């Protein structure tokens, strides 16, 4: 693992594809390559930078809106909502820390590591899903929240605000890894100070004991939405640790990535729940204006600016990792700038999708959060089960195009299919169980995880496979 220090691409059935070009610590140079191995002479960075890398992108209205949905959408009381939000964020933070650990060791993005559990071509299932949900779906969701905030602040046309937000995001993601990390670093203190002050004011105006009417299954719906939001970052985890040196502190990597994600999500989601108790449901669900109506004008304007900046912080990760996931599918793009070109394409598609979502964003966002959890939970089940079976896999398994592990995609599809059919609970489709027993909420991701794990482990138990650590093994 992590033994190559040359810049020469090597591509054979039993070899490792090494990223071409020279990049190092340069910021205003476009990062070459795509989802290939990062050579040792290109490694740099410290684990502490993961704290702001995973804090800054959650300092935005999309995070706050998860808490708003809990109270204004699902009818939970403040304390019940806070518990569901903290639990969902905590699980996402823990898994983020675990997933981040393999980046320095293997020097590849998260969706290349996913090939261990899915095989080279079977991995097209999760990598393709992540490319779409990250580079296009999440990109559109966050672009809408940033554009709406900029619109309230400047009164410019919404479409123009959206265009401004998208252009900044695409430029940062186009240049790549180093500029992404630098952007998150400098956005961090601005976002943290503004949102902490705003949070203090909003929490002081909240009504935790306000009467409420909880919808059937509201707690589990909130838990699922919060979990979906946090684990939406999981398929990106090692994308931002793969440039670290192999001897980087594992404890520091897990701590800084997990805590950054958890603290930012839990805090702002709880603030969102407070907004839901302080203003009417319609006002809370309408967009950033409901939140900023609780603030004095100067602070409200700063908060709107921070919401726009936070949306950019989130989307430079979404479009960067979405592009990496697309290149990890295995489609050959004979360009040294393949990742950057894909990022530009995703940004264009995401702009038009966000444009269509400027109106009626609330219900679309709720559905999107739940759908994210529907596929990521089964993917996590395959990934973690494979880690259990395969303790120290060789890096050549990641690039062997003829290597298969059909237990992964089959188990994931079975887990998704059965769990969605039985337990999905969203506006577009209500599964068999919640349609008869509404109090169960939405158990899709929990059931999907368990079914996928059982199928994956059972497959390898029966076949006597799954523990091979080398191609010859």
């Amino acid at each position: 693992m992590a033994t190559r220090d040359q810049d020469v691409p090597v591509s054979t059935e039993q070899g490792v594809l090494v990223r071409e070009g020279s990049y190092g610590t340069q910021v205003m140079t476009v990062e070459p390559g795509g989802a290939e191995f990062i050579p040792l002479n290109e490694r740099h960075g410290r684990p502490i930078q993961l704290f702001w890398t995973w804090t800054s992108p959650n300092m935005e209205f999309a995070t706050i809106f998860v808490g708003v949905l809990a109270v204004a959408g699902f009818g939970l009381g403040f304390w019940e909502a806070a518990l569901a939000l903290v639990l969902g964020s905590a699980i996402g933070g823990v898994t983020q820390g675990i997933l981040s650990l393999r980046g320095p060791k293997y020097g590849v993005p998260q969706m290349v590591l996913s090939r261990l559990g899915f095989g080279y071509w079977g991995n097209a299932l999760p990598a393709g899903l992540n490319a779409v949900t990250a580079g296009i779906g999440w990109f559109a969701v966050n672009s809408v929240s940033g554009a709406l905030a900029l619109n309230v602040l400047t009164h410019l046309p919404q479409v123009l605000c959206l265009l401004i937000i998208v252009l900044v995001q695409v430029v940062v993601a186009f240049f790549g890894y180093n500029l992404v990390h630098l952007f998150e670093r400098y956005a961090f203190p601005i976002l943290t100070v503004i949102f902490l002050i705003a949070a203090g004011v909003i929490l002081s105006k909240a009504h935790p004991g306000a009467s409420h009417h909880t919808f059937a299954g509201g707690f589990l719906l909130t838990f699922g939405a919060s979990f979906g939001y946090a684990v939406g970052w999981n398929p990106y985890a090692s994308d931002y640790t793969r440039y670290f040196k192999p001897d980087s502190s594992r404890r520091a990597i897990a701590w800084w990535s997990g805590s950054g994600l958890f603290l930012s999500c839990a805090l702002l989601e709880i603030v969102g729940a407070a907004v839901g108790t302080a203003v009417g449901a319609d006002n809370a669900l309408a967009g950033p204006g409901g939140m900023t109506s609780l603030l004095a004008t100067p602070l409200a304007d700063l908060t709107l600016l921070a919401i726009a900046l936070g949306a950019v912080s989130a989307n430079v990760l979404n479009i960067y990792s979405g592009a990496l996931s697309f290149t990890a599918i295995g489609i050959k793009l004979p360009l040294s700038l393949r990742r950057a070109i894909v990022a530009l394409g995703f940004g264009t598609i995401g702009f038009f999708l966000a444009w269509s979502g400027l109106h009626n964003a609330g219900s679309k966002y709720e559905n999107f959060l739940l759908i994210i959890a529907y596929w990521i939970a089964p993917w996590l089940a395959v990934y973690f089960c494979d880690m259990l079976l395969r303790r120290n896999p060789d890096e050549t398994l990641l690039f062997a195009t003829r290597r298969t592990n059909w237990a992964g995609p089959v188990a994931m599809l079975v887990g998704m299919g059965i769990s969605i059919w039985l337990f999905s609970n969203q506006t577009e489709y209500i599964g068999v169980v919640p349609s008869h027993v509404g109090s169960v909420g939405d158990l899709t991701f929990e059931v999907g995880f368990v079914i996928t794990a059982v199928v994956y482990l059972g497959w390898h138990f029966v076949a006597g496979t799954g523990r091979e650590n080398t191609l010859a093994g």
Side-chain angles (χ1 to χ4, degrees):
M1 278 63 71
T3 57
R4 297 178 180 271
D5 60 1
Q6 70 272 26
D7 290 322
V8 180
V10 177
S11 182
T12 66
E13 182 180 341
Q14 296 187 3
V16 174
L17 188 63
V18 181
R19 198 216 67 208
E20 72 270 35
S22 178
Y23 184 52
T25 59
Q26 300 173 83
V27 173
M28 298 311 296
T29 296
V30 179
E31 179 188 5
E36 304 84 16
F37 175 88
I38 304 302
L40 297 186
N41 62 343
E42 293 276 307
R43 303 296 186 92
H44 60 277
R46 298 179 300 154
I48 193 173
Q49 71 192 54
L50 296 170
F51 186 73
W52 51 74
T53 296
W54 295 118
T55 299
S56 296
N58 294 308
M59 294 287 184
E60 55 150 348
F61 188 71
T63 316
I64 294 168
F65 200 70
V66 178
V68 170
L69 276 175
V71 174
F74 304 142
L76 293 181
F78 176 80
W79 296 113
E80 189 179 12
L83 176 60
L85 296 167
V86 168
L87 288 175
S89 299
I91 295 174
V94 170
T95 53
Q96 186 77 0
I98 295 171
L99 292 169
S100 298
L101 293 175
R102 278 183 164 178
K105 181 177 182 180
Y106 290 95
V108 294
Q110 192 65 54
M111 279 298 150
V112 172
L113 288 169
S114 180
R115 292 172 182 167
L116 292 170
F118 288 84
Y120 190 90
W121 294 111
N123 190 57
L125 173 63
L129 284 170
N130 194 52
V132 172
T133 55
I136 298 176
W138 271 120
F139 183 82
V141 166
N142 291 315
S143 294
V144 168
S145 67
L148 292 176
L150 195 60
N151 167 254
V152 175
L153 176 63
T154 65
H155 303 293
L156 292 171
Q158 289 184 348
V159 174
L160 179 58
C161 292
L162 178 63
L163 182 61
I164 293 170
I165 293 290
V166 168
L167 283 175
V168 175
Q169 294 166 166
V170 171
V171 167
V172 175
F174 183 83
F175 277 90
Y177 180 90
N178 289 336
L179 184 57
V180 168
H181 271 300
L182 187 69
F183 185 91
E184 304 298 349
R185 176 182 178 181
Y186 285 103
F188 171 73
I190 300 171
L191 294 170
T192 301
V193 170
I194 294 174
F195 274 116
L196 283 177
I197 295 172
V201 174
I202 291 171
L203 289 170
S204 71
K205 296 182 178 181
H207 302 290
S211 61
H212 59 91
H213 177 67
T214 302
F215 290 10
F219 183 88
L220 288 174
L221 285 168
T222 299
F223 176 52
S226 177
F227 172 79
Y229 188 88
V231 299
W233 299 114
N234 281 184
Y236 311 3
S238 72
D239 298 2
Y240 303 95
T241 61
R242 75 192 200 281
Y243 273 87
F244 290 175
K245 295 181 178 179
D247 60 356
S248 299
S249 170
R250 289 172 55 84
R251 179 178 296 180
I253 288 172
W255 169 254
W256 290 120
S257 57
S259 62
L261 178 61
F262 167 70
L263 291 174
S264 55
C265 287
L267 171 62
L268 289 199
E269 287 170 6
I270 289 173
V271 170
V275 171
T277 68
V279 302
D282 290 342
N283 193 18
L285 293 168
M291 170 188 175
T292 54
S293 66
L294 297 169
L295 307 173
T297 300
L299 180 56
D301 289 345
L302 284 174
T303 302
L304 288 168
L305 185 62
I307 288 173
L309 178 60
V312 175
S313 295
N315 271 348
V316 296
L317 300 188
N318 287 322
I319 195 169
Y320 178 82
S321 286
L324 282 179
S325 294
F326 183 83
T327 61
I329 292 175
I331 299 173
K332 299 300 181 183
L333 298 172
L335 300 166
S336 62
L337 301 182
R338 59 183 66 88
R339 178 208 52 78
I341 299 299
V342 173
L344 183 62
F346 279 175
T348 303
I349 298 171
F351 168 77
F352 288 105
L353 182 61
W355 190 357
S356 70
L358 283 172
H359 303 288
N360 193 30
S363 62
K364 293 179 181 179
Y365 185 43
E366 172 194 334
N367 292 340
F368 182 71
L369 286 172
L370 294 173
I371 291 170
I372 286 287
Y374 291 174
W375 81 261
I376 290 183
W379 170 76
L380 282 172
V382 171
Y383 192 89
F384 285 138
C385 286
D386 194 78
M387 286 181 66
L388 179 66
L389 294 176
R390 205 185 315 270
R391 297 300 178 91
N392 192 35
D394 188 77
E395 61 189 359
T396 55
L397 293 179
L398 302 172
F399 297 96
T401 58
R402 296 185 180 181
R403 177 182 171 267
T404 61
N405 187 2
W406 294 112
V410 169
M412 181 174 170
L413 287 172
V414 170
M416 289 174 60
I418 295 177
S419 62
I420 292 172
W421 169 55
L422 290 176
F423 291 98
S424 174
N425 191 356
Q426 49 144 313
T427 59
E428 298 300 322
Y429 172 72
I430 299 178
V432 175
V433 176
S435 65
H436 291 86
V437 187
S439 60
V440 302
D442 192 317
L443 294 172
T444 308
F445 84 81
E446 296 96 332
V447 174
F449 184 96
V450 172
I451 292 175
T452 302
V454 170
V455 173
Y456 187 81
L457 292 174
W459 176 305
H460 284 301
F461 177 78
V462 172
T465 55
R467 297 184 182 274
E468 305 88 353
N469 283 320
T470 66
L471 288 174

